[in-house]
Amino acid sequence: AQKITQTQPGMFVQEKEAVTLDCTYDTSDPSYGLFWYKQPSSGEMIFLIYQGSYDQQNATEGRYSLNFQKARKSANLVISASQLGDSAMYFCAMREPPRSGNTPLVFGKGTRLSVIA
Amino acid sequence: DGGITQSPKYLFRKEGQNVTLSCEQNLNHDAMYWYRQDPGQGLRLIYYSQIVNDFQKGDIAEGYSVSREKKESFPLTVTSAQKNPTAFYLCASSIDWVEPQHFGDGTRLSIL
């Protein structure tokens, strides 16, 4: 079963507008962490934001915020005031506690965001 | 500056040849990871190591081998048994399993 689902292969957003990138996850463990990474065309992976399953508040980092809805098992990334430099692939990832057979970090297939001037 | 260095940036492999991708970090991280990324896909874990002299297979370990003799280094060998090695390979490290992973710039491997 797919543990991380990103349903939007591609998204377009006008410069200076906000955009939401969707991520749903599947786990039966009460303790887990959710990460978002940005991958520009050059290939490097840039860590953006983290949300722990026990965190009471939604995570925020500058223009990035995470809309965490635990009951729905969703962790959507919100980028405010989009900039041309935000054009990239965005990956949602989840970690579960290290037990036998657990993959340390599981990635979704990504969403390609294009910011239009 | 602390970081992760992967080399080479581009690598070409002949049929039947083993090649080794280098990954070095000076972040003093205990955990290191190797991922494979195919076009339009997410990252899939090949191998990971949580401590020196110990490593575990990830989801797609067949055709690959690793070693972890030093904390700073986690080389990946793509063996001739890996029949479809063309991909983008990313190395990462973290303080431990709970912290965000930091990535190198990647190595693009192609078949000649």
Side-chain angles (χ1 to χ4, degrees), chain A residues 39-56:
Chain A
Q39 187 180 40
S41 57
S42 51
E44 74 269 28
M45 294 286 284
I46 302 166
F47 165 70
L48 296 177
I49 196 166
Y50 166 79
Q51 179 85 43
S53 59
Y54 295 119
D55 293 343
Q56 294 296 313

Side-chain angles (χ1 to χ4, degrees), chain B residues 3-103:
Chain B
I4 301 174
T5 302
Q6 289 187 241
S7 62
K9 196 174 180 68
Y10 299 94
L11 186 58
F12 298 92
R13 196 193 87 169
K14 295 180 180 178
E15 293 286 344
Q17 187 181 44
N18 292 355
V19 292
T20 297
L21 284 60
S22 171
C23 178
E24 303 277 332
Q25 55 100 357
N26 59 4
L27 299 167
N28 200 32
H29 287 171
D30 283 314
M32 296 187 75
Y33 313 83
W34 273 107
Y35 293 93
R36 170 180 171 142
Q37 186 178 28
D38 293 285
Q41 300 293 315
L43 277 66
R44 292 185 291 169
L45 183 67
I46 305 172
Y47 268 99
Y48 65 102
S49 168
Q50 298 187 63
I51 198 166
V52 175
N53 292 323
D54 185 54
F55 50 83
Q56 284 79 42
K57 292 182 179 180
D59 300 319
I60 54 165
E62 187 174 347
Y64 300 97
S65 66
V66 293
S67 63
R68 187 83 187 278
E69 297 176 1
K70 299 187 299 182
K71 189 175 186 177
E72 303 80 20
S73 179
F74 192 40
L76 173 74
T77 296
V78 184
T79 74
S80 56
Q82 172 50 244
K83 297 306 178 188
N84 184 23
T86 297
F88 186 52
Y89 291 85
L90 283 158
C91 178
S93 72
S94 64
I95 295 173
D96 56 32
W97 73 275
V98 300
E99 293 296 322
Q101 294 180 11
H102 299 265
F103 286 80

Side-chain angles (χ1 to χ4, degrees), chain A residues 48-51 57-66:
Chain A
L48 296 177
I49 196 166
Y50 166 79
Q51 179 85 43
Q57 293 187 322
N58 286 346
T60 60
E61 286 286 347
R63 293 186 299 112
Y64 305 108
S65 61
L66 209 151

